[in-house]
Amino acid sequence: MHANGGTPGEEHSGHGDSSGRRSRHEGHDKHAGHDPAAFRRRFWIALALTVPVVVSSSMVMEWFGYSLSGVAWVGPTLGTVVFLWGGQPFLVGAAREFKSRTPGMMLLIAMAITVAWSASMASSFGWFDLDFWWELAALVTIMLLGHWLEMSAIGQARGALDALAKLLPDEAERIGEDGTSTTVAASALVVGDLVLVRPGARLPADGTIVEGSAELDESMITGESRPVLRTVGGRVVAGTVSTDAALRMRVAAIGDDTALAGIGRLVSAAQESKSKAQALADQFAGLLFYVALAAAAITFTAWALVGRMDRAVTNTVTVLVIACPHALGLAIPLVVAISTSMSARAGILVKDRLALERMRTIGAVLFDKTGTLTKGEHVVTAYRSATGGGDEALLRIAAAIEADSEHPLARAIVRAGTELGGVPAATGFTASTGRGVEATVDGRAYAIGGPALLRERNAIVPTSIAADVATWSERGAAVLTVLEGGAVIGALALEDGIRPEAAEAVRELNNLGLRTIMISGDAKSVATAVGSELGITEVFAEVLPEDKSKTVAELQQRGLAVAMVGDGVNDAPALAQADVGLAIGSGADVAIESAGVILARNDPRAVLSVIRLSRATYRKMLQNLGWAAGYNIITLPLAAGAFSWAGLDIPPAVGAVLMSLSTIVVALNAQLLRRTAL
């Protein structure tokens, strides 16, 4: 009924294997044509056969005051066809449950329709005076309708997973050693192949860009709607779209090794994994089987003892119908399917359903700094000119000097200078390891570097910028000075850039009453400065990767349920130690073993989405469980005839209608989960 444990390819082809992890509900849905199309066809045929059975029923004719002749065997004939053919999925499922000793919904349904058929057939031969043919046919037809709606709802909920298979192109353009391209099946690609991706085309495999740059639509991986610029050396993912330019990429992963296949496995496994609420529903369904047997036995015995065999059979059948845990079987699985597909669309990949369930109880969110709250790369945060040339002119000169350098700090300076406009050309570039670089710009010799360069040139930071430089250093920023000749003409500060979304994430978490804490291996001054800017008051600094898990344990000892958010690499022990581990990273890194939830988008606000989804999902689970279980508890005594003295009776057909209505209520309530804003 739900996801299976097969590979994505198996899942989409409908031949996946559950690897022995089927739930009691899943088993019956994997067989006997249990898919929306099969149930739709079976329902309409059963309905067509049911209409003449109802019309020819003596009870119905008496109700509406008409009579038909020669219809005595319409009910037995067509009713038997409806029972054997329309009820076949329930009978097969019941046999399977009986054989595996896991009684549940199928066995209860099978008992109800078998009792009704047996009593009706006996009456047709004159052994009883009980005509249940129209009730039996209506019961089977209504249950087929309920299962059709259930299968359709779950099929729609898993649309995101099914759509993953359609994201990969059927063909790819492979470039040979002679530089010519040949169209081949995407499945024929091997690791190391060079592939041409044209504008508007989907990438056929994971890989690395070796030529060209383009903005890629990665929404199917990360949930991010805006295209992302990818250049030479950048990692790209199968199924994403090159929106504006051609690329040449080197294949790094194909088939089941791609990020897309990894996401498919995660979504499938998450829909398959059980939460505590699902375990409770399974236990209740198993218990209800024995309760139904006991209630049916008591009902039959009680009415038989007072000489009402007709009521004994009627009420026994009704008890068995009412006891069918149809809504209960749908209560949790449908919520799981919907929430998992919703999270996948938002770039939230749930590996462990229990992890998602625990997010609603989290008291503190512990963020790793680098790569989580910050970008993990330096950016120019401040620059000051010590002369009258202007601050922006200083930055352009610095960018020109660093233009030919491959150092990460140099790239940050060039990027910042380019954003201001044109960068002047430089000549005579030379680099001195550990000191800095030199170049000539507009005929003037410049140098840029750190403290070692100042010492070597016996240069002094001018008093006009000394205070700024001191402040930057105290914050832990990397400070570079620009020299013309032997004099300092300005300075720049570079820091690990804070993600623009981080402050909003921290603020919203605080508004929810959660404690936000930061952990970092950086110096205390650096970590404190970042924490202060983001509004985080508790900061753990200078923590080694192997000691981060100890920090998590310390927070847990304070009585806090901790969600750890990290990059999933050096934070693995801490992610595993936390009550919930959330790995934040690119879509290509989905197979992170230590985390229960993977945030494919590099956006700390996704933590808020996980919390909202967790709370909404749990709320829907409880609502559905309460409705499904409450329905059974309240209606069983009515079905048994305990209130017949007050004129309150439920015939089998009415019981079937009420049972299906209960299922529809549960299905509609689960669909309301889609209104949750992530």
Side-chain angles (χ1 to χ4, degrees):
M1 173 171 167
H2 320 302
N4 62 36
T7 64
E10 292 171 332
E11 173 67 26
H12 304 308
S13 66
H15 299 290
D17 177 54
S18 64
S19 303
R21 292 184 292 177
R22 280 194 296 262
S23 71
R24 72 172 69 248
H25 307 298
E26 184 183 3
H28 72 264
D29 294 317
K30 299 284 288 182
H31 303 275
H34 281 240
D35 62 80
F39 267 108
R40 181 178 66 248
R41 181 174 60 255
R42 201 177 288 264
F43 162 73
W44 285 115
I45 294 176
L47 179 62
L49 295 174
T50 297
V51 171
V53 174
V54 173
V55 172
S56 63
S57 168
S58 58
M59 182 181 298
V60 174
M61 286 191 286
E62 183 179 344
W63 286 350
F64 292 95
Y66 68 92
S67 63
L68 297 173
S69 60
V71 295
W73 284 94
V74 171
T77 303
L78 298 184
T80 299
V81 174
V82 172
F83 168 66
L84 293 176
W85 185 80
Q88 188 254 358
F90 310 116
L91 297 173
V92 171
R96 188 170 296 106
E97 287 184 352
F98 183 80
K99 184 178 180 180
S100 63
R101 297 182 181 181
T102 56
M105 179 171 59
M106 290 294 101
L107 197 52
L108 285 168
I109 294 175
M111 283 196 302
I113 62 177
T114 301
V115 168
W117 178 83
S118 300
S120 298
M121 186 58 73
S123 298
S124 296
F125 284 102
W127 300 340
F128 285 115
D129 188 18
L130 297 171
D131 183 356
F132 282 114
W133 288 118
W134 80 269
E135 290 98 330
L136 166 65
L139 173 61
V140 172
T141 301
I142 290 171
M143 287 187 172
L144 286 172
L145 173 62
H147 264 63
W148 172 25
L149 294 175
E150 176 184 345
M151 293 298 101
S152 297
I154 290 180
Q156 292 170 5
R158 299 194 54 210
L161 178 58
D162 296 334
L164 291 176
K166 301 176 183 178
L167 292 175
L168 291 177
D170 295 326
E171 297 179 334
E173 288 192 56
R174 182 166 57 193
I175 301 174
E177 295 182 359
D178 59 356
T180 60
S181 64
T182 305
T183 300
V184 299
S187 58
L189 294 176
V190 297
V191 174
D193 277 351
L194 187 63
V195 174
L196 172 64
V197 181
R198 298 184 183 276
R202 290 190 181 275
L203 278 62
D206 290 2
T208 304
I209 298 175
V210 296
E211 183 180 328
S213 63
E215 290 197 338
L216 298 185
D217 178 359
E218 299 181 347
S219 58
M220 39 69 67
I221 292 288
T222 66
E224 175 59 58
S225 59
R226 293 172 298 180
V228 179
L229 179 64
R230 299 297 182 195
T231 59
V232 173
R235 296 176 64 189
V236 290
V237 178
T240 55
V241 181
S242 177
T243 62
D244 60 347
L247 297 171
R248 292 195 179 202
M249 57 169 284
R250 185 75 64 184
V251 175
I254 57 174
D256 289 346
D257 296 328
T258 62
L260 196 62
I263 291 174
R265 286 191 294 271
L266 288 174
V267 175
S268 180
Q271 288 184 334
E272 188 178 73
S273 64
K274 290 185 181 180
S275 66
K276 291 180 180 178
Q278 177 64 68
L280 179 62
D282 286 348
Q283 293 171 4
F284 188 84
L287 176 63
L288 192 59
F289 169 76
Y290 298 105
V291 171
L293 281 182
I298 293 172
T299 299
F300 185 87
T301 302
W303 284 107
L305 288 176
V306 297
R308 294 293 304 275
M309 285 301 298
D310 57 336
R311 293 298 304 273
V313 175
T314 300
N315 288 88
T316 298
V317 171
T318 307
V319 165
L320 293 173
V321 170
I322 291 293
C324 293
H326 203 240
L328 189 65
L330 182 61
I332 304 304
L334 184 54
V335 174
V336 168
I338 293 174
S339 66
T340 307
S341 62
M342 285 176 59
S343 63
R345 287 192 181 98
I348 301 167
L349 307 176
V350 181
K351 287 181 60 181
D352 181 5
R353 290 295 313 176
L354 287 176
L356 178 61
E357 193 170 298
R358 284 194 296 267
M359 277 300 291
R360 67 184 179 83
T361 65
I362 290 301
V365 180
L366 178 63
F367 286 101
D368 176 58
K369 181 184 79 70
T370 306
T372 303
L373 295 175
T374 65
K375 298 178 180 178
E377 59 182 24
H378 281 81
V379 296
V380 176
T381 55
Y383 44 93
R384 295 288 184 272
S385 173
T387 66
D391 295 341
E392 292 188 358
L394 172 74
L395 181 56
R396 288 193 182 94
I397 291 172
I401 302 169
E402 296 279 19
D404 290 334
S405 175
E406 294 298 325
H407 194 280
L409 295 182
R411 289 199 296 270
I413 294 172
V414 173
R415 186 166 55 248
T418 303
E419 291 173 356
L420 292 178
V423 174
T427 59
F429 173 85
T430 58
S432 301
T433 304
R435 293 177 178 82
V437 299
E438 299 177 60
T440 299
V441 181
D442 294 333
R444 297 182 179 183
Y446 293 98
I448 183 171
L453 180 65
L454 291 178
R455 289 193 298 269
E456 183 182 82
R457 303 291 177 90
N458 292 319
I460 300 174
V461 176
T463 55
S464 59
I465 62 172
D468 290 325
V469 170
T471 300
W472 300 339
S473 298
E474 289 174 3
R475 283 177 53 88
V479 178
L480 299 180
T481 51
V482 182
L483 288 75
E484 182 182 356
V488 175
I489 63 170
L492 305 89
L494 295 96
E495 300 175 74
D496 187 1
I498 296 176
R499 294 187 184 280
E501 312 88 358
E504 181 182 348
V506 171
R507 183 172 62 254
E508 291 297 323
L509 288 169
N510 289 338
N511 290 339
L512 289 176
L514 303 177
R515 298 183 62 175
T516 52
I517 306 169
M518 189 179 76
I519 188 169
S520 174
D522 285 343
K524 188 173 183 179
S525 59
V526 176
T528 302
V530 173
S532 176
E533 186 169 341
L534 293 175
I536 298 176
T537 56
E538 187 169 4
V539 175
F540 293 91
E542 301 177 2
V543 181
L544 297 175
E546 57 267 25
D547 293 332
K548 289 182 179 180
S549 60
K550 296 179 182 178
T551 303
V552 174
E554 290 175 7
L555 293 172
Q556 290 170 329
Q557 289 172 3
R558 295 188 204 171
L560 293 172
V562 180
M564 168 70 186
V565 187
D567 62 17
V569 182
N570 60 0
D571 297 320
L575 291 170
Q577 173 66 39
D579 295 276
V580 180
L582 299 100
I584 187 168
S586 68
D589 297 323
V590 296
I592 301 174
E593 297 297 332
S594 54
V597 179
I598 298 169
L599 310 178
R601 188 173 62 213
N602 288 321
D603 187 344
R605 291 176 301 183
V607 178
L608 289 161
S609 298
V610 178
I611 293 173
R612 284 193 289 263
L613 182 61
S614 175
R615 293 178 176 180
T617 298
Y618 192 74
R619 187 164 57 247
K620 286 300 174 192
M621 285 182 176
L622 289 185
Q623 289 171 359
N624 279 0
L625 278 177
W627 172 267
Y631 161 82
N632 286 108
I633 293 171
I634 292 172
T635 54
L636 270 178
L638 289 172
F643 298 98
S644 291
W645 56 271
L648 297 176
D649 285 313
I650 302 180
V654 175
V657 171
L658 291 176
M659 184 278 302
S660 291
L661 287 176
S662 177
T663 299
I664 293 171
V665 169
V666 166
L668 292 177
N669 187 51
Q671 293 294 337
L672 293 178
L673 183 63
R674 297 184 185 278
R675 300 171 62 181
T676 303
L678 298 184

